[in-house]
Amino acid sequence: MTGAAVSQPVEQQERSVGLWGDALRRMRGSPAAIIGGAIIIFFVLMAIFAPFIAPYDPTRGDLGSSYLPPSGEHFFGTNVQGQDVFSRIIFGSRLTLGIAVMSVTIGVTVGSVLGALAGYFRGWIDATIMRGVDIMLSIPGLLLAIAVVSWLGRGAVQIAIAIAIVNVPIFARILRGSLLALRDADYVIAAKSVGVGGPALLLRHMLPNAIGPLIVQATLALATAVVDAAALGFLGLGPPDPRTPEWGAMLSDTYRYLTDAVHLAFFPGIAIVLAVLGFNLLGDGMREALDPKLRR
Amino acid sequence: MSNWRWFSVFAVLILVLAACGDPGTSAAPGESDDPPASGSDASEPPATDGGAGGEPQTGGTLVFGGAALAASLDPALTSDGESFRILQQIYEPLVDLVPGTVDELEGVLAESWTGEPEDTEYVFTLKEGVTFHDGTPFNAEAVKTNFDRWQTFAEEFQGNAYYYGAVMDGFGPDNLIASVEATDEMTVTITLREASPTFLFGIALTPFSIVSPAVLEATSADDPATSTLGTDTVQGGTGPFVMEEYIPDDSATLVRNDDYHGEHTAYLDRLIIRPIADPAARLQALQGGSVQGFDLIAPGDREAVDGADGLKLVNRESYNTLYLGVNPTATDDSSLADLAVRQAVAHAIDREALIEAFYGGGGSPADIFLPPTSGWFDSVGEGAEVYEYDPEAATDLLEEAGFDADNPATVNFWYPTEVTRPYMPDPQGLHQAVTTMLEDAGFEVEPGSAIWGTEYIPAAQNGEYDLHFLGWTGDFDDPSNWYGVHFGYAQGEPAAQFGCDVDGLEAAIDEAESTLEEEARGAAWSEVAQLVHNEVCFVTLVHGDTAIALTDQVQGYVANPTGSESFLDVWLSGE
């Protein structure tokens, strides 16, 4: 962590390609990152262009055409409501990705602020924040999310907040850990010795170098957020209008009809698996790309 | 590491490809399964005919899957079908419904009786030569002991003795029962305080089963603190089976009563009832062979059993109704205050499509609240408005009421979560479908859901929802148990659940409740039905059938609309 990090961001900022350029270059060499990224781009495009791709309105159903098997007309078949499963999966990506991104953004923001305060100031601030973090980490994540959703009510934003709350302590702890490791780094001591202090030291010298693990964790957290959102949907805590396409809710809607139509559970299941796989591969690739020890 | 990753990616790709292929291939066998299945159907009728025509065989053990075991082993303290399923094999009431009906009575422990709905005195002539499983002789004193016990139930018991309270109008010396006299060894005279058309049907329920006085004494059944009748395996009944072993949460083992007083003793040597809460697990138990039959199949699984080799389905006609509560007073300025809008709701719903999609075809559209299995169906249904599915008429009605696409009629519409009922197999799915139908007619629907027991029922009964799903399973066959329970006024106020305050409804219900002669009673309740249906206080939707799944070996099972059956006539055919 020491030698390479010292030379890169502080003194040679103009000349070097920078953290991101370097990371991107290295990720291009990692098959995992490429495949993961491709899957995620695929889902993002799907979410953006959902109205153009989806052949049917995902919320409109015709009971007369329920349980149709996959065919040229309905690629993934229809569910009990006669809604087109293919269209629902496409539109479902909007909700799922939206919840994932929103929850991780909130989680990273709040978590980083808490982690930075704890890691920079130490003392009683650190102790207070970290004990709070310990308490939250001791509660199983999904259980905490369920409790938050029951408290806030049902809805996409509420779900995002619930998952964010689960993530906050993780991010806080990671950033604090990174900052603690950097306190005694040569370039930090050097900056201090020339009189840099306070927020400038934290924001300009320490944070940029501590942010790598956070990014990796954020990418991986997107994967868990997808699973958590699906789990909440499966448990009936998804969006209040049951017609809203949501992958987890699509799974739980089908279990009563599983013996009649396996495809109903299969396709949303595969969508969840693929999205999670994509974020995980991307996260792994990023971890390698951002790890200075592995830099060639 | 990197190689392993490539492998996992490859594996996922394979999975995806398999996914694309899978539905096609799985659909194909599904379809090709059908012809052999119908082929086996074709060979099945002779088999069942042979079975039905052939002599019932004695012997064998039947393992049957219910949803739960008994709430209590004291029949008087039970009120649910799962308890009845076990206890009615062991205990018997004076009279019972003829199997398969809800409105015909036959004597069980009573040989005969006199008394009409408008009478206050009933004289039961008891069956000779009946002994309880513990050897105590059955006689008029035993009947009196039981009736007296129920009437004087300690307060701790009264909550669980729901049916006694409901049928006899509470407990204690001031309830419906004026006296129960053992006029001689084998004659019981029951005098009521006032005529009750539901009395005879009431005492046909399992909670009115007669328990051996000696066993009541031995288990100190009248003392809530020390009674063991509800928990111990006792020999206190007169039924075709004797309780051999009862393991809570595991099984109830019953063996044949060789001294049974009926025309024949039970054919089964042994009947074991296992509790399996999840319908899917019950089906797996049947398919895996660990049970030979189970009750309450999930509607979605009907086809899986009906078409399968070696399995069969016994449909149980429903004695229940799903309805859509329509409450014009739930919100201020509700669009539902206009009769035309309420009629639009009724016309917007395609009940046949709901039955096809959610009941596996096992149900019938509910024209009126009472199911067709009811003996009152024709007389009470006379004249009540039936709203056919007609979305255009619904749209026209909405326009007539001043609503259109720019200014839609807005309603909130609620469904319960964490529950299924025979009349409501998939509340959320039904809600989605009906929401879509209402929107097609031009409504704007705000969906809502709440947890069944703790939130939904109280809120619905307080009249907090514009539209809501709820249903009813009849306790005994009388229109008061349907229309009276739901629309009866309390202190001049209409039932809050529906906010249905129609001119003349209160008087019509009072009139109907007090009319006893059968024909006049039907006509009086028909007046009530016309008022609530014509004013669309609710929209009756579906009578949901339930079904029992059995292996082909199980013969003689007759389904009762009331929900639980005697195994007296059930037998197992040879391999």
Side-chain angles (χ1 to χ4, degrees), chain A residues 31-32 35 60-61 63 67 69-70 80-81 83 154 241-243 253 256-257 259-260 263 266-267 274 277 281 284 288, chain B residues 5-6 9 12 19 23 27 300-301 353-354 357-358 415 420 425-426 428-429 431-433 435-437 439-440 447 449:
Chain A
I35 292 172
R60 302 288 314 169
L63 287 184
Y67 297 140
V80 61
Q81 303 285 348
Q83 295 155 336
R154 289 168 58 180
D241 186 345
R243 289 177 300 168
D253 285 352
R256 284 194 188 89
Y257 310 101
T259 47
D260 280 353
H263 64 272
F266 192 81
F267 290 112
L274 268 185
L277 182 81
L281 289 178
D284 275 1
E288 282 175 20
Chain B
R5 278 221 187 92
W6 275 111
V9 168
V12 166
D301 294 337
L354 297 178
F358 299 102
Y415 69 92
T420 63
D426 179 359
Q428 198 248 61
H431 179 271
Q432 276 196 54
T435 301
T436 305
M437 291 170 186
E439 286 179 351
D440 285 346
S449 66

Side-chain angles (χ1 to χ4, degrees), chain B residues 327-353:
Chain B
N327 191 330
T329 58
T331 45
D332 294 339
D333 296 326
S334 173
S335 56
L336 296 172
D338 189 333
L339 175 62
V341 177
R342 299 202 297 275
Q343 287 171 334
V345 172
H347 277 303
I349 299 171
D350 183 355
R351 292 174 282 179
E352 298 282 355

Side-chain angles (χ1 to χ4, degrees), chain A residues 2-15:
Chain A
T2 48
V6 168
S7 63
Q8 193 242 327
V10 184
E11 286 102 312
Q12 305 181 5
Q13 220 155 19
E14 284 98 321
R15 192 191 61 80

